[in-house]
Amino acid sequence: MLGQGDADASDCMNDILAQVATKTESNKNAGNAILYECVETIMSIEDNGGLRVLAINILGRFLSNRDNNIRYVALNMLMKAMTVDAQAVQRHRATILECVKDSDASIRKRALELLYLLVNENNVKPLTKELIEYLEVSDQEFKGDLTAKICSIVEKFSPEKFWYIDQMLKVLSEAGNFVKDEVWHALIVVISNASDLHGYTVRALYRAFQTSAEQETLVRVAVWCIGEYGDLLVNNVGMLNIEEPVTVTESDAVDVVEVAIKRHTSDLTTKAMALVALLKLSSRFPSCSERIRDIIVQHKGSLVLELQQRSIEFNSIFEKHQNIRSALVERMPVLDEATFSGRRAGSVPGAVSTSSGASLNLPNGVAKPAAAPIADLLDLSSDDAPAPSSSGGDFLQDLLGIDLLPTPAATGASQTPKAAADVLLDLLSIGTPTTGQSNLSTADILSSSQDNKILLANLDGLSSPSLSAQAALPATSAPVLDLLDGFAPSPKKQEVNGTAYPSIVAYESSSLKIAFNFAKSPGNPQTTLIQATFTNLSPNVYTDFLFQAAVPKFLQLHLDPASSNSLPATGNGSITQSLSVTNSQHGKKSLIMRIRIAYKINGKDVLEEGQINNFPREL
Amino acid sequence: MIHFVLLVTRQGKVRLTKWYSPYSQKERTKVIRELSGIILTRAPKLCNFVEWRGFKVVYKRYAGLYFCMCINRDDNELEILDIIHHYVEILDRYFGSVCELDLIFNFHKAYYILDEILIAGELQESSKRTVIRLIDVQDTIVEVAKEQASLVGNIIAQATK
């Protein structure tokens, strides 16, 4: 266009445009066409306040015209006008809202897109209310679009968690089947973060379930929440003043989950989630334990591998592991929202800013970078909030450690981590590599963590793949189960092959020295077992000692818990920690590792970081 | 610019096509089939603009005939609606209360008139009167030529009798 970017030309045009715009009569189509062209021109030339106002007014008139064509054209134009003058467009919000409900499909679509651009913090509440009301009466093809838009609006602009959960519940009840996976995953994250709202959420979900149980996603979220917060539901804990009391007995709650399992229309994910929820409930409601067990046992012969496996495992927990059952199903630790947003940013571009995506993040555990943050959640050695990673990928899968089982060799059963299905299987897994070694480390974890409360809570991660493998193969089951029953640490069966590889001083600073001793795992030349020894070189005692390490992609790292987390001063004692590193490029590339050590001196945090390059070449 | 003009009956028969962009024969049939499908199934109350393959198609229904024009994304649709109406009015003035039969039997005239109005996908002549005058002039030339041809024919016939 001539006037774009050129102030002089624009000035000349101004007069003409103003004249044309005011004089043209718009009862004929030709007139409208001319006005439309005028408006378009005004929008693209240099800024002129008066003309812009004129243009927006014309568009406003178009919007209330009865002719569909004119309205369509006006909506189109308004979208472009948004970039120029958002305020003016806001004034027409009501009319645009009307257009969303128009009978013409193209107008509806355009209006919805325009509304989506218009949403900001102030008007989000009434807008969402209107959109949700419309959701109930809209037709099927439109519902999908509408649902997606409502969900993203709610997520971006929700002023408080309570409102967010409320709206999402309404959407789920109406159009749950159209809701995408990431959306309800996000909802669960938010729910678990809003700890004061747990009671309210679970009660609302219970009520919603009674009315609209055919929405699959609603059922899933409800089942998960009831499993987690069932006791809050039954005891009416944390009532908000707007709620009316609802009496729910324990068996009612179990009913809900049972219905979810038994329905023919429930798909694999829902049934799998329901099984886990039942397990949780059995520990929270001891009176219903037998009944729950019956339900679970019914699936022992299920034709679906996933359900059969879970049913058998849980049954074995019932029979043999009563004592740890409650520890197993304690409340899930709170999922870190920031991490989740950071992760989502990979899959949802531009939604939330991510942290600097270093190629080597600092996870503490199995080193697949994508899996890092929530791998750590379940990893026993760390309870820090993990560094957000900027990779995309489904958050909940990582949470549940799907990525943590790179080659679940030992357990044939868990060989097929189907996206959502195995997700909850791994909820109970530490995500340790399922080699014989992991069983031993599990045992070590159990033994060393007796005193450590936090680690016990994370026993949520009792390695169920290895457990199930043992349950399924009776030959090998005895040793592991005995380990668990007796909590007797078993001797590490790794052969120490320390003579072949020299130990190195991995890191040395004025206050800390780390030495690595190496051993090769007997059958596997690619795996190195490292024994790290930390020595305090300063006169202060270090508390809350935490060692983290990260490795590049061709290596896999597994960290066992440290012998203690307090390092006495000046060499009076040391902490040892075992790590194992598997080098997929064994022989071609040598090991390399970045480390981070965090500890407290007299309550003050200290952080040290470094890189270890001096691994022996042959490892 | 206008990429093509398409006249389709309600039953899907094509009465007139004019292409201002390169489309191979196969592509043309494909496009026609696709567009007919989309436009003929639209309800009457819907608006006259359809987004299709990154272009906009503006259509208007006159009696049993759909007049469709395909334009770029950034063109003014209302303007095209007017161009369609302009064309129909000229046809009306020329044939005197035009109906579909006129277009079937005098399709060549319809093409001549369209060529007077649109060139290379843009509006060329916006005056109805000029177009009518030009087509009338063309008609007289045709008449004169026919006369002369029949005259010559007569002469030859007489000479060879």
Side-chain angles (χ1 to χ4, degrees), chain A residues 29-30 32-33 36-37 40 62 68-70 72-73 76 103-106 110, chain B residues 42 45-51 56 60 73-79 81-82:
Chain A
N29 185 42
N32 282 331
Y36 176 46
E37 197 61 47
E40 190 155 346
F62 274 13
N68 281 350
N69 296 337
I70 314 274
Y72 181 86
V73 154
N76 231 348
S103 42
D104 183 343
S106 357
R110 277 269 180 268
Chain B
R42 275 172 76 85
K45 281 291 180 71
L46 295 186
C47 74
N48 297 36
F49 319 123
V50 183
E51 302 249 338
K56 285 197 252 205
K60 195 123 198 279
R73 269 226 141 130
D74 43 1
D75 284 341
N76 187 342
E77 306 101 327
L78 297 177
E79 182 194 347
L81 269 182
D82 241 28

Side-chain angles (χ1 to χ4, degrees), chain A residues 107-430:
Chain A
I107 291 191
R108 272 206 299 260
K109 248 193 339 176
R110 277 269 180 268
L112 189 59
E113 279 175 35
L114 189 51
L115 264 188
Y116 181 62
L117 291 173
L118 271 183
V119 164
N120 59 34
E121 288 82 21
N122 304 331
N123 55 27
V124 66
K125 278 200 180 161
L127 258 181
T128 329
K129 195 159 89 63
E130 292 275 325
L131 285 177
I132 292 185
E133 277 169 21
Y134 181 57
L135 186 62
E136 299 172 18
V137 299
S138 64
D139 37 301
Q140 292 300 96
E141 332 87 56
F142 201 48
K143 257 194 181 156
D145 261 346
L146 194 47
T147 319
K149 284 278 166 19
I150 295 181
C151 292
S152 42
I153 291 180
V154 168
E155 198 173 316
K156 272 188 6 186
F157 293 105
S158 64
E160 66 221 354
K161 293 208 167 69
F162 171 66
W163 185 82
Y164 175 68
I165 295 180
D166 224 14
Q167 301 304 313
M168 288 307 296
L169 286 185
K170 285 202 201 124
V171 173
L172 281 181
S173 331
E174 273 309 314
N177 293 331
F178 294 98
V179 171
K180 294 204 185 59
D181 281 343
E182 297 114 22
V183 175
W184 62 269
H185 292 169
L187 176 61
I188 290 188
V189 172
V190 171
I191 292 180
S192 77
N193 269 309
S195 37
D196 43 332
L197 295 173
H198 286 165
Y200 169 72
T201 314
V202 68
R203 275 185 291 276
L205 277 168
Y206 179 76
R207 277 188 283 258
F209 187 82
Q210 310 297 324
T211 48
S212 20
E214 67 279 359
Q215 304 290 346
E216 200 66 29
T217 25
L218 179 66
V219 171
R220 286 185 203 155
V221 178
V223 151
W224 187 86
C225 284
I226 291 182
E228 275 295 303
Y229 310 121
D231 44 337
L232 300 183
L233 175 64
V234 172
N235 300 327
N236 272 332
V237 170
M239 300 266 308
L240 308 178
N241 3 19
I242 51 166
E243 283 187 68
E244 347 165 314
V246 54
T247 39
V248 184
T249 64
E250 295 182 351
S251 72
D252 283 339
V254 178
D255 277 340
V256 167
V257 188
E258 185 174 358
V259 165
I261 280 200
K262 293 224 159 90
R263 279 188 18 212
H264 295 292
T265 49
S266 302
D267 65 351
L268 177 57
T269 322
T270 320
K271 290 195 178 159
M273 287 177 78
L275 278 174
V276 180
L278 279 176
L279 184 67
K280 294 182 189 169
L281 285 180
S282 75
S283 125
R284 305 203 207 292
F285 301 156
S287 57
C288 299
S289 190
E290 267 316 299
R291 178 179 164 203
I292 290 182
R293 190 177 168 179
D294 285 335
I295 305 175
I296 294 187
V297 161
Q298 280 172 25
H299 288 270
K300 251 185 158 173
S302 158
L303 291 173
V304 179
L305 178 60
E306 184 59 32
L307 299 179
Q308 184 185 79
Q309 181 185 353
R310 290 190 190 207
S311 154
I312 293 179
E313 286 172 24
F314 296 165
N315 197 30
S316 78
I317 293 182
F318 270 104
E319 284 168 13
K320 298 176 201 157
H321 304 295
Q322 290 284 352
N323 41 357
I324 54 170
R325 187 169 45 143
S326 51
L328 264 179
V329 295
E330 270 197 23
R331 289 254 193 285
M332 283 213 37
V334 171
L335 308 169
D336 186 1
E337 262 182 303
T339 319
F340 176 63
S341 315
R343 180 170 302 267
R344 278 283 295 270
S347 49
V348 178
V352 179
S353 62
T354 61
S355 72
S356 56
S359 60
L360 304 176
N361 4 358
L362 301 181
N364 188 5
V366 181
K368 257 204 174 164
I374 302 307
D376 302 339
L377 195 62
L378 297 180
D379 189 292
L380 302 180
S381 320
S382 147
D383 28 20
D384 283 334
S389 107
S390 58
S391 61
D394 197 354
F395 168 73
L396 211 58
Q397 294 197 18
D398 298 334
L399 161 70
L400 306 174
I402 263 237
D403 289 0
L404 302 181
L405 294 176
T407 50
T411 61
S414 54
Q415 200 119 49
T416 53
K418 272 191 305 285
D422 262 4
V423 143
L424 283 160
L425 169 66
D426 296 328
L427 186 63
L428 294 187
S429 89
I430 295 180

Side-chain angles (χ1 to χ4, degrees), chain A residues 494-507 513-521 527-535 547 574-581 591 593 612 614-616 619:
Chain A
Q494 324 145 324
E495 275 146 36
V496 179
N497 197 4
T499 50
Y501 303 103
S503 358
I504 58 167
V505 173
Y507 175 80
K513 181 169 119 175
I514 306 182
F516 279 2
N517 290 316
F518 301 105
K520 274 290 187 190
S521 142
T527 308
T528 311
L529 308 160
I530 306 178
Q531 176 107 334
T533 313
F534 305 99
T535 324
F547 170 73
S574 62
I575 297 181
T576 52
Q577 191 163 8
S578 308
L579 334 90
S580 93
V581 180
L591 301 185
M593 191 185 289
I612 309 178
N614 50 344
F615 282 99
L619 284 179

